Amino acid sequence: MRHRIGIAVLMGLCIGVGVEPAMAQPLLLGGTQMAQENSYSYLGAIMPFAGARLGSGWFGTVFANYLAYRYHTTRTVSVKAPGVQGGLGYAWGGTAYQLALSGALGYQYFSVHPDLGAGGPVGGAVTFTPQIQARYDFTPMLYASTMASYSFGQRAYWSQFRVGVRPVSWLSFGPEGVLQGGINYRIHQVGAFVSVALGDGWRVEGEGGVNYISGLPSTGYGGFSFAKTL
């Protein structure tokens, strides 16, 4: 059995998301990514502790997510997996860099249709996910960023790499790559992203490209996300 998962089961919790740091302002995040036969959506918040700010100091996270995908054996099986996650982290920020380390405890509940036995739903999985995020501004117009995480419990990894060009303060775009895998799948994605600041603390982002799936035909993917300082 090979799962056709064309997106990350783990989503990066992006510190700052290009929003200018503000003292103790929570950041609302949401988004979805879709590929052939699968999708992943999330909604949550990053909350700096008292005395901290976005991108610098201690912060907490809370997220809800929903994963759906299909795989094929002798028949097509659909899997739905809602989940929740909460965590804690610390971020460092300098003139040209940002670095954040965090860990989150989560619960994902997997159910299948049609049932693969008398037991019905596959059941729940408790996960612990450590994560590292980093960004470096080479010039005011050029930066590189990365996020990487590993989910104990699901035994899955996810990592993203980007190079961004920022011709004006409200716009950035560039290539991206994603490496991910688990017990029975290996995927890498190659694509591009564009990020736009809309004012009043809002930022929206789109991405798209190609999934290269081990042992399966390649497929396309696309995504949309937003961030809002509260």
Side-chain angles (χ1 to χ4, degrees):
M1 177 189 304
R2 181 182 294 274
H3 291 181
R4 289 201 65 163
I5 304 178
I7 55 176
V9 174
L10 312 171
M11 289 298 294
L13 310 181
C14 190
I15 301 298
V17 199
V19 178
E20 291 300 320
M23 293 302 291
Q25 273 190 286
L27 181 69
L28 178 67
L29 297 170
T32 187
Q33 190 181 103
M34 302 185 69
Q36 184 177 345
E37 300 191 35
N38 54 76
S39 64
Y40 183 87
S41 302
Y42 65 98
L43 179 65
I46 297 174
M47 298 160 290
F49 291 171
R53 63 182 183 179
L54 290 174
S56 179
W58 289 99
F59 61 91
T61 64
V62 58
F63 278 81
N65 60 76
Y66 186 83
L67 170 68
Y69 61 92
R70 296 190 298 176
Y71 62 88
H72 307 281
T73 55
T74 56
R75 54 183 171 174
T76 299
V77 178
S78 298
V79 180
K80 297 179 180 179
V84 293
Q85 187 180 78
L88 178 69
Y90 191 88
W92 297 263
T95 303
Y97 75 92
Q98 284 187 317
L99 175 66
L101 300 175
S102 62
L105 191 65
Y107 180 82
Q108 205 86 24
Y109 187 81
F110 294 84
S111 62
V112 300
H113 180 80
D115 290 348
L116 298 181
V122 174
V126 175
T127 63
F128 173 68
T129 307
Q131 181 167 274
I132 183 171
Q133 303 163 257
R135 170 175 164 150
Y136 187 80
D137 294 335
F138 296 102
T139 73
M141 295 182 59
L142 180 67
Y143 67 88
S145 65
T146 184
M147 294 186 287
S149 58
Y150 183 84
S151 177
F152 295 92
Q154 294 181 1
R155 289 186 286 175
Y157 63 87
W158 183 89
S159 59
Q160 180 190 77
F161 308 90
R162 284 179 169 179
V163 174
V165 177
R166 188 169 47 208
V168 291
S169 61
W170 54 269
L171 173 67
S172 63
F173 57 87
E176 69 174 12
V178 173
L179 298 175
Q180 58 180 299
I183 300 172
N184 56 4
Y185 69 97
R186 298 290 186 275
I187 300 169
H188 65 276
Q189 296 176 338
V190 177
F193 75 96
V194 59
S195 183
V196 180
L198 301 178
D200 196 27
W202 283 96
R203 179 171 288 273
V204 296
E205 184 174 287
E207 61 181 333
V210 181
N211 285 315
Y212 298 93
I213 308 171
S214 177
L216 295 171
S218 60
T219 61
Y221 74 91
F224 172 83
S225 62
F226 71 88
K228 173 68 168 73
T229 50
L230 301 178

